[in-house]
Each structure stands twice: as structure tokens, then as C-alpha cells.
Amino acid sequence: MRVPLSWLREYVDLPETETGRDVQAKLISAGLEVETVEQLGADLKGPLVVGQVLTIEELTEFKKPIRFCTVDVGQANGTGEPQELICGARNFQVGDKVVVVLPGAVLPGGFAIAARKTYGRVSHGMICSTSELGMGDDGTHGIIVLPPETEVGKDAIELLELVDEVLDIAVTANRGDCLSIRGVARETAIAYGRPLRDPALLDVPGPNAFGYPVQVSDPIGCDRFTARTVTGLSPEARSPIWLQRRLQKVGMRPISLAVDITNYVMMELGQPLHAYDRNLVQGTIGVRRAEEGEKLVTLDGVERKLHAEDLVITDERGPIGLAGVMGGANTEIADLPQSRMDSTGGTPIDVENATTDVVIEAAHFDQVAIARTARRHKLSSEASRRFERGVDPAAAAAAAQRTVDLLVLLAGGTAEAGVTEVVTPSGPHTITSPADHPDKVAGVEYGRETVVRRLQEIGCDVYGQDELIVTVPSWRPDLLEPNDLAEEVIRLEGYENLPSTLPKPPSGRGLTHRQRLHRRVGRALAGAGYVEAPNYPFVGEQVFDQLGLEADDPARRVVKLVNPLNDEEPALRTSLLPGLLGALRRNDGRGSHDLALFETGLVFQPREEQRVAGHLPVDRRPTDEEIASLNAVLPEQPRHVAVVLAGAREQAGWWGDGRPAGWADAVEAARVVAREAGAELIVRAGQYGPWHPGRCAELAITVDGAERVIGHAGELHPRVLKALGLPGRTCAMELDLDALEQVGDGVAQAPSISTFPVATQDVALVVDKPVPAAEVEAALREGAGELLEGIRLFDVYVNDEQLGDGKKSLAYALRFRAGDRTLTVDEASAARDAAVALAGERTGAVLRG
């Protein structure tokens, strides 16, 4: 929200010497985030004056149209003679009043003005556009044409209010009242202890039977609708300079008088408004939910297919506006543009069809309905930003009256006596809170008097002694419970005044066992060449189809958010892969093709029984029972670890050819994690979801004597790569880190260094092709007994002519060592033979050759 200091001073009597920086400090202390203070015109230096165009000579001998003009600037140039100027703009004519900068002036950006020869003539200054003066866009794409009544020679810096300070405030989602000058002025008045001149305090006529007919069919979606009618607007009326400048300073472009007035009142009071051309509205104005499949062309020219939950404004033809978001093109105001000229030749716009009668809408719509509609249509507007954050329902009538008054004053209109106001009755929101509740929350003794005073300053009515009964003002819908009131007291008393008290943790406690494991895993994967890439925990359910999960896969059961940040990702993740693969795709698309990413994070699995969580207290530590009851409602949240790889795993160079990442690298990443957890990981061939059936490893552990699958690793299926836009041969691994922690010993084992030599024995076993190497290895390990120190598969050989049909050869290196002696050849051979025998008994393996 951009707030000009000059506008703010109209409602709060700030000290004359107070600067924008001073106001910024006060508002920040009161809890508002004032990001910057823009100094408008800080480097602007005159003379900058109003001139009248006397003559225009077209210079046609150049590549682009050039005009040599003489302009009357009065006595501003010291001689009273016409000023000779060169200009390339086409949106003005002889007799127009323009803004002229004379030699010796300095424009924004340090652009010094001097007489100079150009296009064969000497230009003594220049005729200015809004962009050259740092005023923003006025929609004309040309120089400034002033109203005819503007005095020649007048100082344009003062006339155009070019010197000002603008506060840029980042308004949080709960403070919709501060999306208006009125709301910021209220906070400023409190901060300075000055009275507020509330612009919403107007004499508003009561509703009567003569107003424009309105029918609200959805009182929940629209609990207040005010309609006023103004007739006889002058098609020639233009927005005055002060109105245009205020809109430009708050970041809006002047369009036409009627539209500018509605925008001005919205910025002033925070109440979005809409003006309909009365001659284009047919019949009663209605408010209802859209019918599925209805269409509406909005003011931006886009035809939108409406959803059954969209709130729409209608007449007897159907929708004429997307309520609280944007009006429809079929009732658009046809006012005269500000310039009254097109941008190419100075031809006056036809005013015969300009709007002369308007119906003003000032309504209050449901926050959630407007927010969802805006996100559904990807159409965020100034109106929707305010409605979804909360608008003062009591300001609708005042905003409509303010709009009517300005239309009558500036456009010569006549306000009709009819006033329509459809209101769904509702009582004020009341909160009961102990008077010392803010004291307990902040740990500071404010006292009842301070608490009552602060609550009254923000507009609350307060009654009671030890137990306060607080009636919340209509412009603060975010105040719902005692903690909200405590926050208001604390912020107004100053967060900086809260004492700094460091917690005193008990000695001897460091990281938990789980935290140490997570750090070890992260360090190990980073040491293996992976880069950590944390992602948001939100997914869209369509990603499960892209990953190729079965319809009954448990991963498809998700926890959905009531108010998601993105409507396309309304669920919490059940896997880390969607986020990691998205990060890999983005990096690959930006030129980084050799990628190895990892993430450790929570996944969310809904419980069978759905229950509602209660509120925990903030004035004391929750009891163990309260915490346990809250945890019982939350979804299961195990921590997973996942990696994704693409491109080269080892780079080519003078040292060798390098190699691409493969499924074995993903499996090795799982082994790295298992080693850090001190757990034994079972790796065998598997098949699941996004992985290629022939290149997928199933990762399992043994829990209480039974095997449990905790993840998969390998190369992703080509269909998944195509659906997600991933590079070819992308590999991935994901496993349940919490489950791995449960079976791990958790104690890092240092390697034992023996003084006795190792005895190495190699065996090559022939087995059927379907037999997994992991089963053969497990049998060899068990059969070899305690003397076996290590086992490694170093060769897989397939040759039907030598081995026979359907056979393969697996070659293992066995390392034997005793802790108390040097093994003999017979002892090592006996252990090898025992291993081979057990492998043959369990898997049918026979020694090759």
C-alpha cells in the first residue's frame, strides 16, 4: 500500500517538521511494515512552468515526425517572448496548455536542461511528459495536456504536486484495514497521539423504496449491498489534476472521471466500488452464485468460464460482473479518456455515446469466496486484494455517498433521491477477556487502565473491570479472540519495550538422537556429491498420475488444506519426489544438466479417524495431555530422505571418460544413508510406481523378525520422464528415514584394524537368471560364518553358450580374517566351501567350471 504523506496529513495533524522517515519509524514501532519511503521530486529543480502552444510547424524531412513549436510561458523566461521548442509527441494541438521545462532546470535522474541545437533548430527547453517528470503512467503515451483554465506561467511543480514523500507499506493478510489511507491514518493518529479526522464520517441518507432494484440471493456471500444512482454526468468532465496525481502516487493509472473517482474512494476508505452504465444494465441487479458453464467477458477483455462457487453480479441477461474481483465488459463505463485525444493525431474522441448515468455499487462480500474466485481465475485485482483481507462492512454506505458527492462536484451530475441498501442483520462481534490477559502473554504488567486505553484507541468499546467485555470495531474483522486483543495492546505499547529474557536450558542436553542422525545423513550425502534442495511441502493430486501410481496406492491419500497458497497444489505431500524432481527439471531447463540433489523432510499421511484440533493456551505451558491430544489429531509425519540424479555422475577430463549417473548410484545413496543410521539395508529387485520395472531396487529392513519395505531406488520409467519433462535416464531414491532409525544402533562404529593378514577367496557361482544377487550374497554371508569380514559382487556374466540357457554367473570376492591368529589356507577354504554349499542349497547355485 502506497501512502502519500500529503494525503495522510489531511486526516492527521502531523507536526510540520515531521518527515516520511519519522512517520516510517512510528508506524514500524506500531507493528506496520513500512518497506521504503520514496522521495518524489527530491532531485527536481525548476523553472518548470505552464505554457500555451501558439504555433506548430511540422518538420517532415526527418525519419520520424518532428514538431517545431512556439509556446507562451508568460514571464517565466524573463522576456515574455514565445519559447521555441522541439517536440516529437503528437497528442497536443495549438491552444493546448502544456508543461514546459526551461533551460537551467534539472529533471528527475539528474537530467540537466539547456538550450541545444537539434533537427536543424535550437530548442530552448522541452515540453514534458509524465514519465520525464517521474509522475508515472497517465495512459496518454505523450506529453501532459493541462485543463484549458490553467494559468500560463504558473509553477508546474506546485500545480502537479511533484514534491512529496510516499510510504510503501507491506500489509499483512490480517490487516486489510491498512489497505486504505483511512486505515493507515488511524494507525498514524494512534502512534502520534493525535485525533483522527475520519473520512468515512459522512451524512448518509437512509434507504428508501425509490433506489435502484437489487436482489441478493446469497446473503452469506454478500451480506451488504448499497446502490446509488447519479444522472446527467458531463461527457466533457475530466479528472482534476489533484485527483489524477493522488492516483498516480498510490500506483494507479488515471483512466476516466467516473472510474478515477471509484478508485480514489477505494484507496481513501478501503471500500472497493464499481460503477455501471445505467443505460446498459437491464432490469434488477442481482447477487448469486454462478451456474456451472456460464461465461462472462471481464473488463480486461478475457472471456471467463465461471465456476459454480463464483459469486457474480447479474441483471436479467445474466452475469455482468465477477463480484469483488472485476466488472463485466457489457456494462462498462464509456467515459471520455483523460487526454481527450488519441495518441497519434489530435482527433477528438466522439462523445455522443459517453456514459451520463451511472449506478454505484458498494457491497461487502465474503472473504473466502472472493479469495477463491480470484485464485481460480488467476485474476488478482485491487478490489479482490481488499475483500480477501477484510473490508469494513459499515463503510459501504459512506463510500457510496463519497462517490456520489465527487461525481456531483466534478462531473456536474445529479444524485437521485433513491437509496438501495440490502443488509443481512448481524450483531457486533464481542470478546470476553481477563483484564490482565495481555500482561500474562507479554510477561509485562500493563495494568487495566493501559489495556482499556489501547483497545479504545483502535476503536473497541470496552466494559467491565477484572473481566473485560470488548466489542470489536467493524473495520477489524481479524480480532477474534483474547489473544488478538493482547497482541494489539502489546504492539501499541511497543514490541521494543518488551524485556529481553533469554531462556535457561538445562545443562547436559544437546541435539537429540534423531537430530544427530539427520545431520549425519545430510553431511554424508553432501560428501557423496549431492546438493540439498529443500522444497515446499505442497502437491497437486495430478502428480500421482504423472508418477504412475496405482489407483489404490496409499500415497494417493493426502491431507488437503482448507486455504492453500496455490489452488493447483492444495494437498500436503506424501512423497519427497515431486518437489525434488521439479527442482531437477528447473535446473536442467536453466542449463545445469549434471545434477545430484537430495532432501530430508516430512511427509504427511492422514489418519483413519478425522478429528478437529483444539486450541492450546498461550498464557501458560500446555500440559502433556493437551500436547498429546493435539498430536493425536495431526496426520502422521514420518521423515523421509530422497535423492535424484541426472546427467554425468563423474565428469570426463584428462583423467578419463567419466560416466553417466545410473540406477546403481541411486541404490548406493540408500546404502550411504543406512550406514549412517547403523542399519542393515536389504536391497533386492522390485517394481513400484515411477521406477523402471527392470531397473528398480526394493529397499527393506528387518523389524522384529519380519521384513518391511521402506523405499525404492533406481532409474525412473520413460513414461514418467516424459510426463514430468525430465532428462533421459533420470534416477531417484526415497526411503523412510524414521523407520531406518528405529532398526539402527545409532552409534557410529569405528573400523577395527587387525594386526593379522586377510585371506581372500573368489568364487563364481552359476544360478538361474531370475535369482537375485542379494539372495546369493545373503546365503554366502551366513554360510561363511564369523570368519567372513566382507563380501563384494565384482562381476556378472551372461553367456547362454557357455553357461546354458537362462543362467548367469555371479563372481564374489570373500575376505576372511580372524581376530586372534593368522588363518591357514585350509581354514579360509573351509569357510568358503561352507558358504558355497549353503548358497547351493538355498538358491541352486553351483561353482562355475
Side-chain angles (χ1 to χ4, degrees), residues 26-32 175 187 190-191 433-458 460 476 479 481-500 618-619:
K26 287 282 190 179
L27 292 180
I28 289 176
S29 178
L32 293 185
R175 291 303 305 272
E187 292 294 320
I190 296 173
S433 171
D436 61 350
H437 183 66
D439 302 8
K440 293 181 178 179
V441 174
V444 175
E445 187 174 345
Y446 293 121
R448 179 189 178 280
E449 182 179 346
T450 299
V451 171
V452 171
R453 176 172 56 84
R454 288 302 190 183
L455 293 178
Q456 289 175 340
E457 285 178 345
I458 64 172
C460 295
R476 291 300 303 272
L479 302 181
E481 58 180 357
N483 293 329
D484 297 328
L485 300 180
E487 181 182 1
E488 291 300 298
V489 174
I490 295 169
R491 74 174 181 87
L492 293 178
E493 284 294 306
Y495 291 120
E496 68 277 9
N497 295 324
L498 294 176
S500 298
V618 297
D619 57 343

Side-chain angles (χ1 to χ4, degrees), residues 265-282:
V265 175
M266 175 181 66
M267 303 306 296
E268 182 181 51
L269 301 183
Q271 168 66 54
L273 302 110
H274 190 70
Y276 301 94
D277 189 326
R278 182 177 180 178
N279 297 321
L280 298 179
V281 179
Q282 299 180 11

Side-chain angles (χ1 to χ4, degrees), residues 8 11-14 27 182-197 457:
L8 195 62
Y11 309 130
V12 184
D13 288 326
L14 297 175
L27 292 180
R182 178 196 184 202
V184 177
R186 182 181 295 109
E187 292 294 320
T188 306
I190 296 173
Y192 279 90
R194 301 292 180 92
L196 170 70
R197 290 187 291 274
E457 285 178 345

Side-chain angles (χ1 to χ4, degrees), residues 193-521:
R194 301 292 180 92
L196 170 70
R197 290 187 291 274
D198 192 342
L201 295 180
L202 302 174
D203 291 330
V204 180
N208 53 52
F210 308 108
Y212 197 94
V214 173
Q215 176 64 45
V216 177
S217 302
D218 189 340
I220 296 178
C222 176
D223 58 8
R224 187 180 295 261
F225 194 107
T226 300
R228 299 289 298 275
T229 304
V230 181
T231 59
L233 302 180
S234 171
E236 299 286 340
R238 299 174 55 193
S239 298
I241 293 174
W242 65 266
L243 178 56
Q244 294 186 48
R245 287 297 294 132
R246 285 195 170 178
L247 289 177
Q248 289 173 334
K249 289 176 184 179
V250 298
M252 303 190 76
R253 180 171 63 87
I255 298 173
S256 62
L257 179 57
V259 176
D260 290 350
I261 288 175
T262 57
N263 286 336
Y264 176 83
V265 175
M266 175 181 66
M267 303 306 296
E268 182 181 51
L269 301 183
Q271 168 66 54
L273 302 110
H274 190 70
Y276 301 94
D277 189 326
R278 182 177 180 178
N279 297 321
L280 298 179
V281 179
Q282 299 180 11
T284 301
I285 292 178
V287 183
R288 61 170 172 83
R289 299 283 175 170
E291 297 176 4
E292 195 70 42
E294 279 188 313
K295 296 181 179 179
L296 170 68
V297 178
T298 46
L299 288 174
D300 57 359
V302 178
E303 183 179 76
R304 303 185 184 276
K305 186 176 180 181
L306 302 180
H307 189 275
E309 292 184 5
D310 291 339
L311 203 61
V312 293
I313 310 298
T314 65
D315 63 6
E316 62 184 25
R317 296 167 297 178
I320 60 173
L322 206 52
V325 181
M326 185 174 287
N330 52 357
T331 57
E332 182 179 4
I333 293 291
D335 275 2
L336 196 64
Q338 296 297 345
S339 66
R340 296 191 61 235
M341 304 289 171
D342 64 25
S343 60
T344 57
T347 304
I349 303 294
D350 179 19
V351 300
E352 291 184 2
N353 297 320
T355 299
T356 58
D357 302 336
V358 298
V359 178
I360 303 299
E361 165 207 307
H364 184 261
F365 300 110
D366 178 63
Q367 291 180 238
V368 176
I370 301 305
R372 289 180 175 174
T373 297
R375 294 178 185 177
R376 190 179 299 118
H377 293 280
K378 298 181 176 63
L379 184 62
S380 179
S381 64
E382 291 289 344
S384 67
R385 285 183 63 221
R386 283 160 176 79
F387 277 123
E388 64 190 26
R389 287 165 173 78
V391 168
D392 181 5
Q401 182 63 45
R402 177 74 164 138
T403 305
V404 169
D405 292 343
L406 288 173
L407 285 172
V408 171
L409 175 67
L410 302 178
T414 301
E416 290 194 352
V419 177
T420 302
E421 191 165 359
V422 180
V423 179
T424 301
S426 62
H429 180 57
T430 300
I431 303 172
T432 300
S433 171
D436 61 350
H437 183 66
D439 302 8
K440 293 181 178 179
V441 174
V444 175
E445 187 174 345
Y446 293 121
R448 179 189 178 280
E449 182 179 346
T450 299
V451 171
V452 171
R453 176 172 56 84
R454 288 302 190 183
L455 293 178
Q456 289 175 340
E457 285 178 345
I458 64 172
C460 295
D461 290 331
V462 185
Y463 303 95
Q465 292 297 319
D466 295 337
E467 195 79 9
L468 300 181
I469 301 174
V470 182
T471 302
V472 174
S474 58
W475 55 82
R476 291 300 303 272
D478 59 305
L479 302 181
L480 302 173
E481 58 180 357
N483 293 329
D484 297 328
L485 300 180
E487 181 182 1
E488 291 300 298
V489 174
I490 295 169
R491 74 174 181 87
L492 293 178
E493 284 294 306
Y495 291 120
E496 68 277 9
N497 295 324
L498 294 176
S500 298
T501 305
L502 294 176
K504 298 178 180 179
S507 60
R509 293 188 183 182
L511 297 177
T512 65
H513 170 69
R514 189 184 190 203
Q515 290 169 332
R516 287 194 295 271
L517 173 61
H518 297 164
R519 294 195 180 189
R520 289 204 309 272
V521 168

Side-chain angles (χ1 to χ4, degrees), residues 793-809:
L793 175 68
F794 65 86
D795 184 54
V796 179
Y797 178 70
V798 177
N799 188 314
D800 291 343
E801 294 183 1
Q802 294 186 15
L803 302 178
D805 292 339
K807 299 293 185 179
K808 65 181 177 181
S809 172

